[in-house]
Amino acid sequence: MDLPVPRSFAICCNTVRLIAQGRRLQPDVLQNILSGSGLVSVRPSAVMPEWGGPGTVLNVGINDDLHARLTGQIGAANADAVYLSFIQSYAIHIARLDPDMFTQDGPDALAQALRCYQDEMDTPFPQDASEQLSQVLRSMARAWDGPTARLLRQAKGAPADAPLGLVVQEMALALGPGLCGSGSIQCIDPVTGTPRVTGRFRGQHHGAAIGEGAETLYLTCDERGPALEDTAPDVFERLCDFGAAARKRLREEMQIEFVVTGGELSVIDAVRVGRSSRASVRIAVSLARDGIIPHEEALMRVEPRALADLLHHQVDPRAPRDLITRGIDASPGAATGYIVFTASEAQAANARGEACVLVRRETAPEDIRGMHASVGVLTERGGTSSHAAVIARGLGLPCIVGAGGISIDPRNKTLRAGNRVLKAGDMITIDGSSGEVLAGSAVLLPPALDDAFTQLMDWATDAGGLKVRANADTPEDAKTARRFQAQGIGLCRTEHMFFDAERLPAMREMIFADSPEDRKLSLERVLPMQRRDFTSLFEIMAGLPVTIRLFDPPLHEFLPHEREGMRELAESLDLPLSDVIRRVEALTEFNPMLGMRGVRLGITVPEIYDMQARAIFEATVEASRKGDPVVPEIMIPLVSAMREVELVKTRIDAVAAAVRNERRTDFTYRLGVMVETPRAALRAGDIAAHSAFLSFGTNDLTQMTYGLSRDDAGRFMGIYVNQGVYDEDPFHVLDEEGVGELILTGVQRARRQSPDITISVCGEHGGNPESIAFCHDAGVDYVSCSPFRVPVARLAAAQSAIRSRKTDEPA
């Protein structure tokens, strides 16, 4: 690039491996490297800079003779500082001596350091520059292969056997007469990604060696304090030109490290600018708009999960943090609010216009209204697929679950974390992107749904790939899904609608009804409400498909379990308390998630599905009159046998015929099955004969495949992952070997029976990038996820399509 880079030598990774095993570079090679000024640095060069590596070693080659020459060039004090810094670095990092013994300072520091080294090593400090360089290379190569280094880089996503190269570079002196110093410059803001020159210039700073007249300058005049732009405008202008040239040639925003020696500029290194999620999007889009990289490469450069940070408030990474505890980052974003411990307290705070964070041991369906009223949720228990996590992601609420470092006392309304005790009304900030709970009100950055985000999403649409729908239970969810360009609703969970205060009494009345006729009468009160729900969804999603899952949960979830709640219910139903208690006990199951729920409830209490089907069809007629014809998709949950589908289909067909006759109009609908049991996946061919679509509900399918409750998995999942029992939490990343094999089997058998059948994945895995890649390869037609994960899924789907095209290209 014709930049003023000091004489440099690259040592390839294979040679570095040999050096780690004891091989030395040939003497003539070492002499050639040191034949310039005699003073060199050694820097690590990993495949990815974020993988880290051993620290840079400066001033290799200095000895008594070179020290004497430097004294004449840059002065005795500066020469002493260079020599001293190398002795201390060599003693600590190469000879592995006690760091506390090499903290010398003051006029006699250099002599003290030399004596200390000789006393500890029983030999003088090495004067042979080639020997110094050999030992530095050997130490850095071995440090890279050490167990601590391997664990650290593996934690950053590097393979255990990742290679390391080394770069040996002649030193440019940052000490001496005239303008001398070192610094770094970058041309973008690392938090926002907007163009902005930032950096520092440290005059008379040569690594750890600090000379006389040392000072720190900003780079530009718009920053506070003296600026390099004023002191040395020519140097500043050249640095800006170097930054622009590096951006174009290296196709990336780079941070340039430089040294100024007597006004002469040297470029020491250039590394990719570290950046926030929002900055990564703006940088990739900007590079593509300027024609530096193609659109598809811009898509591939953005980590899909990074988009989640753009949709919500984020804690400013530049601001201080007062950490209380950490938990599992279950739903991204950040929020500040007063602590409340119950759903009713959250609703009361919301009514007063106060932001609150709902703090619970774990949430239950009756907490949903409180979650709606809160700005964030924190639970002591649970994992990434727990009730709190799933609902929070759907609502776009920041959420932290499984915060094992806290103890909640709901009776006394306190939260204990170590020595801290927080009470109701205390203010906290939860960072659902990092899993950190912070004391007080942290500085937040607003969402970044700007032109760069919109452009990236448009390019994702152009790239193709799996379709992405949204899980949406309310009109608000549907509007969010539409805003993020979801291609329909893939899962509407109707049971959430029944927890509304206006509907819950009718549901409870139905549960206590003694005959089908009485149950039907109770449900008739709910029918117009359900019809309004579905009409709103159809109108909001006009022109797009809407999949409605029929009632799924066990009935006991709609009943109170504390005596006071049961007493109030008995009073509202005009029943003896004993009758209420008996009915609650009768509905209690040993394992409710495997009990009377889903299609089993639809067959044994068919009035519920009859009412829902009627509400769907009547809403279809109403919405179709106002716009394009609506073709609802009705999904039967928890199916495990073909006969279940036949029985439900017969009743739904009868309801459809009745509505057609009553409304004197025609309509069509599609009936499908939610595949949540292993048996349904294995018998997908039989089930497909009676279904227009199959949707794999991977939350329950994972639970049943593993025999593991997603709500309790958080208690030990971290231990299992750390000890290698599972590579990842299977509720977070789809288990391709187990659950994935069931999906592949189901897809193959269903398509063998019905080649045109639509197949989707609608569990939480539908918003997970790794799982989306599996779905793409499995031939799934679409995924469905929480509305706020739709952009993540759209980008992941586009990336899978791009990777697939590249794989198919001829070599």
Side-chain angles (χ1 to χ4, degrees):
M1 292 179 62
D2 197 29
L3 298 181
V5 178
R7 186 167 170 264
S8 305
F9 299 82
I11 302 178
C12 72
C13 57
N14 289 332
T15 302
V16 173
R17 285 197 183 101
L18 294 174
I19 291 172
Q21 296 166 9
R23 185 81 60 88
R24 293 170 65 99
L25 294 181
Q26 294 296 325
D28 59 331
V29 175
L30 293 170
Q31 287 298 325
N32 183 35
I33 292 174
L34 293 163
S35 63
S37 67
L39 201 62
V40 299
S41 65
V42 184
R43 299 172 182 270
S45 179
V47 175
M48 301 293 287
E50 55 265 29
W51 292 355
T56 298
V57 180
L58 305 178
N59 305 317
V60 181
I62 191 169
N63 51 24
D64 292 347
D65 291 341
L66 184 53
H67 171 252
R69 292 204 303 273
L70 287 176
T71 298
Q73 295 174 19
I74 61 175
N78 288 337
D80 286 355
V82 172
Y83 200 0
L84 175 64
S85 68
F86 178 64
I87 293 169
Q88 292 173 331
S89 174
Y90 190 94
I92 295 168
H93 301 294
I94 312 303
R96 305 292 176 181
L97 299 179
D98 186 352
D100 291 339
M101 302 184 66
F102 290 89
T103 58
Q104 294 84 5
D105 195 9
D108 195 33
L110 178 59
Q112 292 176 22
L114 288 168
R115 284 195 302 271
C116 185
Y117 183 92
Q118 182 165 350
D119 291 344
E120 290 299 311
M121 298 293 293
D122 292 328
T123 184
F125 188 78
Q127 297 296 302
D128 184 340
S130 295
E131 178 64 19
Q132 290 180 11
L133 181 56
S134 291
Q135 292 302 320
V136 169
L137 295 173
R138 174 178 174 274
S139 176
M140 293 178 72
R142 290 191 170 183
W144 177 255
D145 282 336
T148 300
R150 282 202 305 273
L151 289 173
L152 285 174
R153 65 176 175 266
Q154 281 181 272
K156 297 174 182 177
D161 60 349
L164 177 74
L166 294 173
V167 175
V168 184
Q169 186 178 79
E170 190 171 306
M171 294 285 294
L173 289 172
L175 298 172
L179 180 66
C180 294
S182 58
S184 64
I185 183 173
Q186 59 191 43
C187 299
I188 56 111
D189 187 305
V191 174
T192 66
T194 53
R196 176 170 170 251
V197 175
T198 61
R200 295 289 185 273
F201 174 71
R202 300 183 302 164
Q204 301 297 331
H205 279 70
H206 181 85
I210 301 175
E212 296 176 354
E215 63 174 343
T216 298
L217 302 178
Y218 292 96
L219 294 186
T220 63
C221 301
D222 58 355
E223 297 184 84
R224 297 176 183 174
L228 185 67
E229 186 178 18
D230 290 332
T231 306
D234 292 344
V235 170
F236 176 78
E237 184 178 355
R238 290 187 70 199
L239 284 170
C240 291
D241 291 343
F242 293 163
R247 179 179 187 265
K248 185 174 182 179
R249 178 70 179 274
L250 303 178
R251 306 166 71 248
E252 182 58 279
E253 291 288 357
M254 307 297 290
Q255 181 186 74
I256 295 176
E257 298 178 20
F258 64 92
V259 167
V260 180
T261 307
E264 292 296 318
L265 187 61
S266 298
V267 173
I268 305 303
D269 200 2
V271 296
R272 178 179 178 272
V273 173
R275 62 203 64 178
S276 68
S277 297
R278 60 187 62 205
S280 70
V281 171
R282 180 162 290 280
I283 290 169
V285 169
S286 177
L287 289 169
R289 282 174 169 169
D290 291 345
I292 295 173
I293 61 175
H295 295 171
E296 287 196 348
E297 185 172 345
L299 290 168
M300 298 303 292
R301 285 194 180 192
V302 177
E303 167 64 35
R305 289 185 182 85
L307 295 186
D309 292 342
L310 275 67
L311 310 181
H312 310 277
H313 285 85
Q314 296 292 318
V315 176
D316 192 329
R318 299 162 294 194
R321 293 179 173 225
D322 184 1
L323 182 66
I324 296 174
T325 190
R326 286 187 176 88
I328 299 170
D329 47 333
S331 183
T336 298
Y338 298 105
I339 293 175
V340 296
F341 289 96
T342 67
S344 58
E345 290 173 358
Q347 290 173 279
N350 181 258
R352 295 191 299 269
E354 297 175 355
C356 64
V357 174
L358 180 61
V359 178
R360 302 283 285 162
R361 283 180 176 161
E362 55 191 345
T363 62
E366 55 265 29
D367 291 316
I368 289 177
R369 282 177 288 168
M371 295 176 72
H372 271 281
S374 305
V375 297
V377 180
L378 169 65
T379 67
E380 183 179 346
R381 303 169 185 162
T384 54
S385 293
S386 64
H387 178 271
V390 172
I391 299 302
R393 283 194 289 269
L395 297 175
L397 285 178
C399 178
I400 297 172
V401 300
I406 65 174
S407 175
I408 296 171
D409 183 349
R411 178 172 302 219
N412 294 312
K413 297 185 178 180
T414 60
L415 180 157
R416 183 179 294 275
N419 295 325
R420 296 196 194 203
V421 178
L422 302 176
K423 307 180 296 299
D426 288 347
M427 182 169 285
I428 59 173
T429 298
I430 64 168
D431 186 348
S433 299
S434 68
E436 293 184 344
V437 183
L438 311 175
S441 177
V443 179
L444 302 183
L445 297 173
L449 301 179
D450 52 21
D451 63 307
F453 171 83
T454 302
Q455 180 67 83
L456 192 77
M457 289 292 94
D458 288 344
W459 290 339
T461 299
D462 295 340
L466 285 173
K467 292 184 177 180
V468 178
R469 297 192 194 180
N471 302 341
D473 306 332
T474 66
E476 291 74 22
D477 292 342
K479 290 173 184 175
T480 301
R482 201 78 206 233
R483 188 166 78 249
F484 293 140
Q485 299 180 35
Q487 292 161 298
I489 293 177
L491 174 63
C492 172
R493 293 162 290 205
T494 55
E495 60 268 15
H496 292 165
M497 301 170 177
F498 289 97
F499 285 102
D500 184 84
E502 189 179 357
R503 308 173 192 199
L504 191 56
M507 275 300 296
R508 289 174 169 175
E509 185 180 295
M510 184 275 296
I511 292 170
F512 278 83
D514 292 322
S515 68
E517 292 75 18
D518 290 343
R519 284 196 290 269
K520 187 175 180 181
L521 285 172
S522 299
L523 289 168
E524 283 180 356
R525 294 172 54 195
V526 180
L527 174 62
M529 305 175 197
Q530 283 264 275
R531 185 170 58 237
R532 287 197 301 270
D533 293 331
F534 300 142
T535 301
S536 294
L537 291 180
F538 293 149
E539 290 176 351
I540 293 168
M541 304 303 294
L544 296 174
V546 175
T547 303
I548 298 170
R549 184 180 73 184
L550 297 174
F551 192 86
D552 183 43
L555 293 177
H556 77 87
E557 289 191 2
F558 296 88
L559 298 177
H561 298 282
E562 296 178 357
R563 192 172 183 84
E564 180 59 26
M566 286 189 260
R567 189 194 63 76
E568 292 177 0
L569 179 58
E571 184 177 54
S572 67
L573 296 176
D574 194 23
L575 291 172
L577 177 60
S578 58
D579 287 1
V580 172
I581 292 174
R582 275 195 297 272
R583 183 59 61 92
V584 171
E585 290 175 349
L587 290 173
T588 300
E589 297 177 287
F590 289 106
N591 193 337
M593 297 311 293
L594 298 179
M596 184 69 76
R597 55 168 286 221
V599 69
R600 300 158 194 167
L601 195 60
I603 290 173
T604 56
V605 188
E607 296 80 15
I608 298 176
Y609 282 9
D610 289 351
M611 180 275 294
Q612 290 194 300
R614 175 170 284 276
I616 292 170
F617 295 141
E618 290 179 354
T620 297
V621 173
E622 288 187 18
S624 297
R625 284 174 180 162
K626 301 175 184 178
D628 295 332
V630 174
V631 181
E633 298 181 350
I634 300 176
M635 185 157 62
I636 310 171
L638 210 70
V639 166
S640 58
M642 177 183 68
R643 182 60 179 158
E644 291 172 323
V645 183
E646 291 177 331
L647 290 170
V648 173
K649 185 177 187 301
T650 298
R651 293 191 71 102
I652 291 179
D653 283 344
V655 174
V659 174
R660 289 188 185 108
N661 289 333
E662 293 166 11
R663 298 299 180 101
R664 299 182 182 277
T665 187
D666 196 15
F667 56 82
T668 59
Y669 76 95
R670 304 178 76 222
L671 183 71
V673 164
M674 195 167 185
V675 180
E676 301 167 273
T677 68
R679 192 179 193 280
L682 295 172
R683 304 306 302 169
D686 296 340
I687 293 170
H690 302 276
S691 306
F693 64 91
L694 298 182
S695 188
F696 287 87
T698 52
N699 294 344
D700 274 353
L701 186 58
T702 299
Q703 286 195 111
M704 296 190 189
T705 303
Y706 276 83
L708 175 63
S709 165
R710 68 183 184 184
D711 292 312
D712 297 320
R715 300 182 184 183
F716 63 86
M717 188 58 67
I719 297 173
Y720 260 50
V721 172
N722 289 338
Q723 296 191 14
V725 180
Y726 304 147
D727 291 335
E728 299 277 357
D729 181 342
F731 293 107
H732 183 58
V733 178
L734 186 70
D735 163 33
E736 296 183 16
E737 296 177 348
V739 179
E741 186 169 346
L742 285 171
I743 293 174
L744 289 173
T745 300
V747 170
Q748 292 164 2
R749 293 182 179 180
R751 290 239 161 94
R752 191 182 305 139
Q753 169 66 39
S754 302
D756 295 331
I757 193 168
T758 301
I759 296 179
S760 66
V761 167
C762 65
E764 281 298 300
H765 299 100
N768 175 265
E770 293 85 357
S771 306
I772 288 171
F774 169 83
C775 292
H776 176 94
D777 295 339
V780 169
D781 294 299
Y782 71 84
V783 295
S784 187
C785 57
S786 303
F788 282 93
R789 301 182 86 185
V790 166
V792 175
R794 288 177 60 202
L795 178 57
Q799 291 181 348
S800 292
I802 293 169
R803 280 192 291 266
S804 180
R805 285 196 290 272
K806 288 183 177 179
T807 302
D808 294 339
E809 289 176 357

